[in-house]
Amino acid sequence: MSQTPIRAPQKATMPRTLAPGQRARIHTIDVTAGATRLVHESTEVLYEAPNWTLDGKWLIVNGDGVLFRLPADGSVDPEPIEIPGIPPLNNDHVLDPDGVHVFVSAEDGHIYRAPLAGGEAVRVTSEDGLLHFLHGVSPDGGTLAYVGVVTEPGGAWHAPNLFTIPADGGASVQLTDDEFGDDGAEFSPGGGWIYFNTERPLTGPPRAAGHAQLARMGPDGSGAEQLTHDERVNWFPHPSPDGARLAYVSFPPGTVGHPADRDVIVRVCGPRGEDVTDLVNVLGGQGTMNVPSWSPDSTRIAYVDYPVGT
């Protein structure tokens, strides 16, 4: 693990709350037609990071340190998923391919596996000196991809690196090891790639600090290649279940990290970064689309925005 640069935390350490006059709105959007649907709106809970269940009927989101489920058609309000005995959850949650469990990241810096219907959780990660932030699970459910962070005694963070770990626990494998921040690691549908965002200049000259672009590499960390090459700051590549497209969040030039309450663009592109298309401009960023957000038929994306005022 590289031990050089120190940076301020990029991820929240406590559950976020809405600002005065702010709302959290959960939407779905048809990626072909561009039609959006407001699924749920709240002035009380700051919901984040929608997953879509395998049957396409439910969305899973977090808010106030808790997971919630709600129908994808918005027919009823979100209901909490009871997972007793673990710390508050953050917005890094990924559904197990078995359709029965969910992997979650908690504010103690560990990853857990819990029943999607609610119930006791099992911790996956160990006390290895890292903070662990989940982002992906392999198609067979056997391996998790996560962001690992070394912290200083005073609380400052080293640049995040990427790791994998067996889904039932065990030794981690480090995939990246450098002074450039890496994040958002997610497996392709066939398992042959891990998509991620990185500040590392894989092609061309060095970039400004924080200038993340989309990339992919083999599941062992080999063969890394940069996919986007623009002036914007691109985060959280999510491959569609059919492998045809990536969805991601694009921040304004000069953004460092993935902060909240920015004017961002939800975009899609091809699996090699080609054919970039803007889907929707929103006030968001952190929480908008941190996790796999595609419908199982690859036609829609779920996302959250956070408007203020009317």
Side-chain angles (χ1 to χ4, degrees), residues 269-309:
C269 65
R272 293 181 174 85
E274 72 276 22
D275 301 326
V276 173
T277 302
D278 294 356
L279 290 182
V280 64
N281 295 62
V282 302
L283 182 66
Q286 173 73 300
T288 289
M289 203 173 63
N290 293 54
V291 300
S293 301
W294 284 93
S295 63
D297 62 2
S298 300
T299 64
R300 291 173 290 169
I301 294 168
Y303 67 92
V304 188
D305 70 352
Y306 305 98
V308 178

Side-chain angles (χ1 to χ4, degrees), residues 106-301:
E107 298 297 348
D108 63 352
H110 284 291
I111 298 170
Y112 297 81
R113 184 176 187 252
L116 193 54
E120 297 289 337
V122 175
R123 199 175 83 182
V124 175
T125 48
S126 62
E127 297 291 348
D128 56 6
L130 296 173
L131 299 177
H132 311 83
F133 298 100
L134 174 69
H135 275 280
V137 57
S138 61
D140 63 3
T143 304
L144 304 182
Y146 72 88
V147 178
V149 180
V150 172
T151 61
E152 291 292 301
W157 291 20
H158 288 253
N161 277 291
L162 303 181
F163 299 76
T164 58
I165 188 173
D168 56 0
S172 292
V173 176
Q174 186 164 355
L175 304 182
T176 66
D177 185 4
D178 54 63
E179 68 271 25
F180 300 99
D182 300 311
D183 211 311
E186 194 168 317
F187 288 89
S188 64
W193 295 101
I194 290 179
Y195 287 89
F196 64 108
N197 55 267
T198 182
E199 297 175 14
R200 187 177 4 147
L202 294 171
T203 58
R207 301 193 297 268
H211 191 175
Q213 294 289 291
L214 305 188
R216 68 179 183 180
M217 61 185 169
D220 61 355
S222 64
E225 57 182 290
Q226 188 172 320
L227 302 178
T228 56
H229 306 80
D230 59 68
E231 75 286 355
R232 297 185 63 84
V233 176
N234 300 319
W235 276 76
F236 302 132
H238 304 306
S240 57
D242 63 8
R245 286 176 283 202
L246 303 175
Y248 63 100
V249 180
S250 184
F251 289 82
T255 305
V256 176
H258 56 287
D261 301 332
R262 297 295 193 274
D263 291 317
V264 300
I265 307 171
V266 176
R267 286 178 159 174
V268 293
C269 65
R272 293 181 174 85
E274 72 276 22
D275 301 326
V276 173
T277 302
D278 294 356
L279 290 182
V280 64
N281 295 62
V282 302
L283 182 66
Q286 173 73 300
T288 289
M289 203 173 63
N290 293 54
V291 300
S293 301
W294 284 93
S295 63
D297 62 2
S298 300
T299 64
R300 291 173 290 169
I301 294 168

Side-chain angles (χ1 to χ4, degrees), residues 88-104:
L89 305 179
N90 61 29
N91 56 28
D92 299 319
H93 42 84
V94 179
L95 300 186
D96 191 318
D98 70 1
V100 178
H101 294 87
V102 59
F103 295 99
V104 297

Side-chain angles (χ1 to χ4, degrees), residues 1-78:
M1 167 74 70
S2 173
Q3 297 292 317
T4 42
I6 307 294
R7 58 178 56 197
Q10 295 191 59
K11 292 177 182 285
T13 55
M14 291 295 291
R16 294 168 57 209
T17 58
L18 292 168
Q22 190 171 37
R23 296 165 286 156
R25 302 190 304 184
I26 303 169
H27 307 261
T28 62
I29 184 169
D30 184 307
V31 296
T32 300
T36 61
R37 177 173 187 168
L38 178 60
V39 177
H40 182 74
E41 182 173 4
S42 176
T43 58
E44 298 178 355
V45 178
L46 193 153
Y47 293 110
E48 300 180 289
N51 303 124
W52 221 302
T53 57
L54 295 181
D55 60 10
K57 295 180 179 179
W58 298 86
L59 298 177
I60 307 299
V61 297
N62 66 283
D64 290 348
V66 175
L67 277 190
F68 294 82
R69 67 169 67 84
L70 74 156
D73 63 4
S75 55
V76 299
D77 288 343

